[in-house]
Amino acid sequence: MKIIVVFLLMLICSVANATDEKSTLEKVTLQLHWKYQFEFAGFIAAKEKGFYRDAGLNVDIKEYKAGEDVQKLVLNNHATYGIYNSSTLVSYLQDKPIKLVASFFKRAALVLLVSPDIKSPKDLIGKKIMSSTKEDFILNFKPFFDGYGVDINKLEFVPHSYTTKAFEEGKVDAITAFISDQPYQLDEKGVKYNILDPSDDNLFVLQEELFTSEEEAVNHSERVQAFREASIKGWQYALMHKEELVTIIHDKYAPKISKHRLRVEARGVERLILPYTYDIGSIDVNFLNKQIEFFKKYYQIGKNKKLDDFIFHDTVTSVDTSLNNKEKEYIKHHPVVDVCLQYQQFPIDGYEDGKMIGIMSDIYKIISKHTLLRFNPIVPHSLSELKENIDTHKCDMLSAYFTRNTVYKTLRPTESFTSVHFTFMSTLDKSFISDPKLLKDKLLITQLPPFKDYLLDLYPYLNIQVESDKNKMINMVLKNKAYAVITLDSQADYIIEKYGYGKLKINGFLAKDKPVKASIGVQKDREILYSIINKVVNKIPAQKIASIENSWRINRYRESIDYSLAWKILITMGLVLAIMLYYQRKLRNFNKELAKSVYEKTKELIHINESLEATVEQKIQELIQKDEILTEQSKQAVMGEMISMIAHQWRQPLNTITLQISNLQIQQMMGEEVDKEELLETLSEISKTIVYLSNTIDDFKTYFHPNKNATRVRLSEIIDKAIKFVTPRLKGNNIAIVVDRIDDIEVNVYVNELIQVILNILNNAVDAYAKMDCDEKFIMISAKSIENSVTVSISDGAGGIKKKHIKKLFEPYFSTKGKNGTGLGLYMSRMIIEKQFGGKIEVNSADGKTTFIVSFPKNIKAK
């Protein structure tokens, strides 16, 4: 009996203690924008693992209910925090008091699931799209569709049912869906689909955004900060313990979702967060600046709104405990520090609307958080003014200081907190240079004398000139007065976008093995200030510095190795090499048999053939290394047919040479005296034949030569060249080619790519005729000009294409030729015409006749 009483007392005490503990926690609510699933695993982990409790918070996580307005719930104090998308930024521009607290997804979470026959946004014109609202679709997909020249107003929208049922039944052609889990639902049911993902074009909007009201941010800033840090800790835990969170979500939050589906979603969510590339929850200011400008322009709102006012900033209530009393006293009596900014060194240093911006600005925010110091920026208008400000002690510090700088005698550098190498940029026609010795005798321009001194120590043979004005630097390169501009790698992308006018690119790197070390320069007579800054700088984690630097890179650039791309390149090169080796082996066997019949007399000819083979191999290797991967793959797919054409062109001339040499050999063996004139005439004919073979190689070599510049040329010349390539096959199959009407049209196009498209269509027609037994075989080509565009029509009477094959005709790897077809020809033709030319390719087939219609602008846009 006593044991039972003791147990009851202990139970009552534990319940009382739990109740007391819960009552001391601050109660807040997090409103989700969808149902419980792994998309919210980080917040669930923070609650279930006690991270919120440790932060003094009792958090109620509410899942979404149909018809709820997440932003309205937060702004009306029905929820403390909310999870939503880029609509929060639009609402801020519409004067709603919203603060962004953290950003979790770094890729587009919302994609379009489309029917298998839809390959690009252009194919959706006139089709039914299921979306929550047209406005929501515009928010998430307008930049993506703009890139393909598609007007969203021409699309047909139907209300979203928030299931995939309508898509499965074919009632709609596309639905908006979260890529982390909804494709898996279709996979389970065996439904075929394609995905149109804005991330493939480096575009997206924010989807997993933690936000709160301005009232909460101002009146309870410490609570906001605590909630954010606990949420980030929860996400770190969830991604490291996926299986545990899958079990928690399934057992406690979403029992109707299978564990397997949650595991699939977990992997998808990790790919959206990219935790090994970005700090979890970090806010990409550079991306948001671009997005806010787009919203201002499109919605015509928030003209005077600033991004900085949208983002919640940490508050500080105490000085870092690692500082000693002397340092704390210094801060108390000198709360404001005058900082000289570097001259024209954005995004390292910058100044806008009375505030510091850039990489160093974000580092100073961290220093302020730990010290309570405020930094007053002093902006120079020239390098000489900057030096004067430092020499006269107008500045307490120099914002960004390079440790080997000898210009500023009064400064002392802190410990280095990062390092950076140099990048050189030149015009688009210049090749990438990996060896600095190739820059010898070329004039190079840099902005600061310390840069010149540092580089000349490493590369004394370089010719470097200093020019402080960025516009003058760039103009010297654009006007070919200098070869390249040298700058810090952190600035390269910005300079190309801001000053390059689309005419500059990165051509190489310098000092990668001996990068410049960066620190903060403090006046030597400010010993205590130096001690404070040095202590705090040393406490900033290296990954935090890297994250800040990456956030200011244009287009989310990362200097990392894309191993998947490397494997694709290696596999592609391996396939091409295998094809080349196969055909080389066939040619080598042919040469051996020829050598047996003519023996010593044909050694010279064999040598010429082998030399020509080496030339073909060398040019193809150059093609592989220089062209874009997609174009390479398409030309590699038709390489077998091209080499077959070379064999057609060579067979008769080689036979002629063999007979001529054999005749001479037989005369000699029979003791007949060979007439000198006859010998010379025979050798002359052999020489002419070899020249013909060489010219044939040159024609095919020109086709394989990569050409990334649009060329102005007559359309008739392009068509004639394509016909010339396929002539041996036409003659061999008794096919007549009829050029019906070619207007005198000049076009500005990528010539080789257009020849490739025409060749693909002509070869398909020849292959179709090869299966037929008919007397009249023809291919008809015509072209006409309509305003600013050109239409080329290619027709044949080879029996037509089956109706069931028409829809799949342009799909990759679909072929009606069985093992003899790659299935890449028409797919690549479509990619070339639509992606590179901005045109369209169509096919009509009826009554045994097939017509391909290729339309494209007369003047294509430069790549």
Side-chain angles (χ1 to χ4, degrees):
M1 184 68 181
K2 288 182 179 180
I3 294 174
I4 295 175
V5 172
V6 171
F7 174 75
L8 288 173
L9 287 173
M10 290 176 64
L11 181 62
I12 292 170
C13 289
S14 64
V15 170
N17 287 337
T19 304
D20 288 344
E21 181 184 3
K22 203 167 184 179
S23 64
T24 61
L25 301 176
E26 293 185 75
K27 184 172 178 59
V28 296
T29 301
L30 172 64
Q31 177 63 57
L32 307 180
H33 69 313
W34 195 238
K35 304 295 183 180
Y36 294 130
Q37 54 190 48
F38 202 91
E39 180 185 349
F40 309 110
F43 308 107
I44 292 171
K47 180 179 175 68
E48 296 298 325
K49 305 307 293 185
F51 302 146
Y52 285 139
R53 182 185 65 247
D54 295 343
L57 302 173
N58 175 20
V59 179
D60 182 17
I61 301 176
K62 291 187 175 181
E63 72 175 350
Y64 175 81
K65 295 179 181 178
E68 286 184 329
D69 185 328
V70 177
Q71 295 182 84
K72 192 173 181 180
L73 289 171
V74 173
L75 294 177
N76 290 342
N77 295 321
H78 295 302
T80 322
Y81 307 102
I83 302 296
Y84 210 43
N85 57 27
S86 287
S87 292
T88 55
L89 182 54
V90 176
S91 297
Y92 164 73
L93 293 174
Q94 293 172 331
D95 291 326
K96 292 182 180 177
I98 283 180
K99 288 284 186 181
L100 178 64
V101 178
S103 175
F104 292 97
F105 286 176
K106 298 297 186 286
R107 282 178 59 86
L110 200 66
V111 299
L112 281 171
L113 302 182
V114 298
S115 303
D117 58 319
I118 294 172
K119 309 298 181 185
S120 81
K122 284 186 177 181
D123 298 333
L124 283 170
I125 296 176
K127 302 292 179 67
K128 288 185 179 180
I129 303 173
M130 182 178 282
S131 176
S132 55
T133 63
K134 182 178 178 181
E135 290 71 24
D136 186 64
F137 190 89
I138 289 172
L139 175 75
N140 287 282
F141 295 101
K142 187 178 188 305
F144 182 47
F145 276 71
D146 285 348
Y148 289 82
V150 178
D151 184 355
I152 286 180
N153 294 316
K154 293 183 179 179
L155 306 178
E156 183 181 349
F157 294 95
V158 298
H160 213 306
S161 63
Y162 300 104
T163 70
T164 58
K165 186 177 180 181
F167 181 76
E168 295 165 24
E169 295 174 351
K171 295 179 180 178
V172 296
D173 302 285
I175 59 171
T176 58
F178 269 79
I179 196 170
S180 56
D181 68 321
Q182 288 182 286
Y184 167 74
Q185 298 174 32
L186 297 179
D187 291 338
E188 275 191 320
K189 299 174 183 178
V191 178
K192 301 295 183 183
Y193 60 90
N194 282 335
I195 297 177
L196 298 183
D197 187 351
S199 290
D200 292 339
D201 287 6
N202 201 27
L203 298 167
F204 67 97
V205 296
L206 305 173
Q207 292 291 348
E208 187 86 353
E209 305 307 287
L210 176 62
F211 74 98
T212 190
S213 64
E214 187 173 359
E215 178 187 355
E216 173 74 6
V218 172
N219 297 331
H220 304 283
S221 59
E222 291 185 17
R223 183 165 71 190
V224 176
Q225 189 173 331
F227 184 85
R228 178 177 65 185
E229 291 175 357
S231 299
I232 291 172
K233 190 174 181 181
W235 269 114
Q236 291 169 339
Y237 186 90
L239 295 177
M240 293 294 293
H241 303 83
K242 296 188 193 72
E243 189 61 33
E244 180 184 351
L245 265 295
V246 163
T247 301
I248 291 173
I249 294 170
H250 174 74
D251 294 349
K252 195 169 181 179
Y253 290 85
K256 292 182 179 180
I257 303 177
S258 70
K259 286 188 176 182
H260 180 63
R261 178 176 159 187
L262 286 170
R263 290 187 191 102
V264 172
E265 187 191 359
R267 292 193 292 271
V269 166
E270 185 171 38
R271 287 192 293 269
L272 293 173
I273 292 177
L274 297 174
Y276 303 109
T277 306
Y278 299 91
D279 287 345
I280 295 176
S282 62
I283 295 173
D284 191 331
V285 177
N286 189 38
F287 167 72
L288 282 176
N289 271 317
K290 292 184 178 181
Q291 195 170 62
I292 198 172
E293 291 306 316
F294 167 74
F295 289 154
K296 284 181 179 181
K297 182 178 179 180
Y298 180 76
Y299 294 106
Q300 294 294 306
I301 54 175
K303 183 178 180 181
N304 298 319
K305 289 282 188 177
K306 297 177 183 177
L307 178 64
D308 194 58
D309 295 332
F310 173 62
I311 300 172
F312 170 77
H313 297 288
D314 293 350
T315 57
V316 187
T317 57
S318 61
V319 177
D320 195 306
T321 55
S322 67
L323 300 180
N324 58 41
N325 291 332
K326 199 173 183 180
E327 290 164 341
K328 292 177 181 178
E329 280 296 312
Y330 182 92
I331 293 171
K332 183 177 180 181
H333 292 95
H334 304 87
V336 179
V337 178
D338 293 326
V339 180
C340 270
L341 304 187
Q342 280 282 0
Y343 174 65
Q344 287 193 357
Q345 291 296 303
F346 186 80
I348 298 172
D349 250 352
Y351 184 81
E352 185 177 89
D353 298 329
K355 295 180 180 179
M356 293 173 65
I357 59 172
I359 295 171
M360 292 306 301
S361 171
D362 290 347
I363 291 174
Y364 281 118
K365 286 175 184 176
I366 297 174
I367 296 173
S368 291
K369 178 180 177 181
H370 287 277
T371 64
L372 295 181
L373 287 171
R374 299 192 305 277
F375 297 97
N376 175 45
I378 297 176
V379 185
H381 297 92
S382 66
L383 285 174
S384 58
E385 183 182 337
L386 173 62
K387 189 173 188 312
E388 182 182 351
N389 290 341
I390 293 172
D391 291 345
T392 59
H393 285 59
K394 186 175 181 179
C395 309
D396 298 307
M397 302 192 314
L398 175 59
S399 178
Y401 186 82
F402 306 108
T403 52
R404 288 186 57 180
N405 194 326
T406 59
V407 175
Y408 307 111
K409 307 294 185 181
T410 64
L411 296 181
R412 178 185 178 189
T414 63
E415 292 294 324
S416 170
F417 54 82
T418 189
S419 60
V420 61
H421 61 269
F422 289 90
T423 295
F424 58 90
M425 301 162 290
S426 193
T427 49
L428 301 178
D429 60 320
K430 301 293 192 303
S431 300
F432 187 90
I433 294 178
S434 57
D435 186 353
K437 291 180 181 178
L438 297 175
L439 294 171
K440 189 177 181 181
D441 300 326
K442 300 181 186 297
L443 178 59
L444 308 174
I445 308 296
T446 193
Q447 193 180 13
L448 298 179
F451 293 172
K452 175 183 177 180
D453 296 340
Y454 187 82
L455 289 169
L456 288 179
D457 280 348
L458 298 176
Y459 314 102
Y461 49 81
L462 293 182
N463 178 18
I464 302 176
Q465 180 178 314
V466 175
E467 173 52 65
S468 61
D469 188 282
K470 278 195 174 72
N471 277 311
K472 290 182 180 179
M473 290 169 59
I474 302 304
N475 283 329
M476 288 181 71
V477 173
L478 295 180
K479 293 178 180 178
N480 289 320
K481 294 181 180 179
Y483 183 82
V485 166
I486 301 178
T487 187
L488 295 175
D489 186 62
S490 308
Q491 294 181 291
D493 301 302
Y494 168 76
I495 291 176
I496 288 174
E497 182 171 281
K498 182 74 174 179
Y499 298 92
Y501 314 110
K503 299 177 181 178
L504 290 183
K505 66 174 182 177
I506 292 174
N507 286 75
F509 307 99
L510 294 172
K512 287 195 94 171
D513 55 340
K514 294 182 180 179
V516 173
K517 293 183 178 180
S519 60
I520 295 172
V522 184
Q523 294 285 7
K524 292 178 180 178
D525 58 358
R526 308 283 199 276
E527 293 183 6
I528 300 178
L529 176 61
Y530 173 84
S531 176
I532 294 169
I533 300 299
N534 202 41
K535 278 185 180 180
V536 177
V537 165
N538 283 334
K539 292 183 68 174
I540 304 175
Q543 60 268 31
K544 181 64 178 177
I545 298 291
S547 175
I548 291 172
E549 291 171 342
N550 285 334
S551 71
W552 284 96
R553 289 185 186 272
I554 291 172
N555 293 329
R556 296 174 170 262
Y557 170 81
R558 294 289 181 273
E559 186 179 19
S560 60
I561 300 173
D562 186 350
Y563 288 104
S564 64
L565 179 59
W567 277 112
K568 289 177 183 177
I569 293 172
L570 288 174
I571 292 169
T572 302
M573 291 180 66
L575 290 173
V576 173
L577 186 59
I579 293 170
M580 289 169 57
L581 290 174
Y582 170 73
Y583 283 103
Q584 284 177 347
R585 186 174 181 180
K586 287 185 69 175
L587 287 171
R588 197 173 291 116
N589 290 337
F590 172 76
N591 287 335
K592 285 181 179 179
E593 289 187 12
L594 185 61
K596 288 179 183 178
S597 61
V598 294
Y599 196 52
E600 291 295 338
K601 298 292 184 179
T602 56
K603 283 186 177 179
E604 185 178 354
L605 179 60
I606 294 171
H607 176 73
I608 293 171
N609 285 338
E610 289 175 347
S611 176
L612 288 173
E613 288 172 18
T615 302
V616 174
E617 180 182 356
Q618 179 185 355
K619 296 304 177 183
I620 293 174
Q621 289 283 4
E622 291 175 359
L623 170 68
I624 294 169
Q625 293 170 2
K626 294 179 181 177
D627 270 352
E628 294 177 355
I629 293 173
L630 192 59
T631 305
E632 290 174 350
Q633 288 178 329
S634 68
K635 288 192 175 179
Q636 291 153 12
V638 300
M639 194 177 295
E641 295 179 2
M642 282 298 181
I643 294 177
S644 177
M645 291 178 193
I646 294 175
H648 269 284
Q649 296 277 30
W650 280 12
R651 185 170 291 115
Q652 184 58 40
L654 286 174
N655 287 339
T656 301
I657 292 173
T658 302
L659 288 173
Q660 288 170 328
I661 294 173
S662 296
N663 286 337
L664 293 174
Q665 186 182 28
I666 290 169
Q667 288 181 37
Q668 188 179 34
M669 290 172 63
M670 293 179 67
E672 296 180 6
E673 184 177 349
V674 180
D675 184 71
K676 184 177 181 180
E677 289 184 5
E678 181 185 349
L679 175 62
L680 291 174
E681 184 179 351
T682 301
L683 292 176
S684 176
E685 290 177 359
I686 291 174
S687 177
K688 290 178 182 178
T689 305
I690 292 172
V691 170
Y692 168 77
L693 294 176
S694 178
N695 291 337
T696 303
I697 285 297
D698 287 339
D699 284 342
F700 283 92
K701 179 179 68 177
T702 300
Y703 171 76
F704 281 109
H705 185 75
N707 181 8
K708 290 306 174 189
N709 296 316
T711 304
R712 181 162 295 281
V713 65
R714 292 187 183 278
L715 181 61
S716 57
E717 293 178 15
I718 296 175
I719 293 174
D720 287 343
K721 183 166 283 191
I723 293 172
K724 184 178 179 182
F725 284 141
V726 82
T727 295
R729 296 198 71 201
L730 295 172
K731 290 181 178 179
N733 289 276
N734 296 318
I735 300 171
I737 192 153
V738 181
V739 180
D740 181 42
R741 183 169 62 90
I742 305 292
D743 291 345
D744 190 19
I745 307 166
E746 276 198 357
V747 292
N748 190 53
V749 296
Y750 301 114
V751 174
N752 288 346
E753 280 76 359
L754 184 54
I755 290 175
Q756 181 180 345
V757 173
I758 296 172
L759 268 178
N760 280 329
I761 297 172
L762 292 176
N763 277 322
N764 284 344
V766 173
D767 291 338
Y769 273 124
K771 301 176 183 178
M772 295 182 64
D773 185 14
C774 62
D775 295 327
E776 293 186 6
K777 299 180 182 180
F778 70 91
I779 298 175
M780 182 173 290
I781 304 177
S782 64
K784 59 183 177 179
S785 172
I786 304 174
E787 295 182 353
N788 295 321
S789 65
V790 173
T791 299
V792 178
S793 298
I794 304 174
S795 303
D796 67 74
I801 302 171
K802 293 181 181 179
K803 190 175 181 180
K804 66 179 181 179
H805 292 157
I806 292 289
K807 286 186 177 181
K808 299 180 179 180
L809 203 59
F810 293 99
E811 291 182 13
Y813 307 113
F814 173 79
S815 176
T816 59
K817 303 175 189 177
K819 295 181 179 179
N820 295 323
T822 64
L824 288 173
L826 288 177
Y827 170 72
M828 291 311 309
S829 297
R830 185 178 189 180
M831 291 300 98
I832 289 169
I833 294 301
E834 290 188 359
K835 284 283 188 179
Q836 298 187 38
F837 283 47
K840 192 172 185 180
I841 183 168
E842 300 172 293
V843 60
N844 296 323
S845 188
D847 301 325
K849 182 180 179 182
T850 300
T851 301
F852 283 86
I853 303 167
V854 183
S855 305
F856 53 90
K858 287 182 182 178
N859 292 286
I860 66 170
K861 295 180 180 179
K863 290 182 180 179

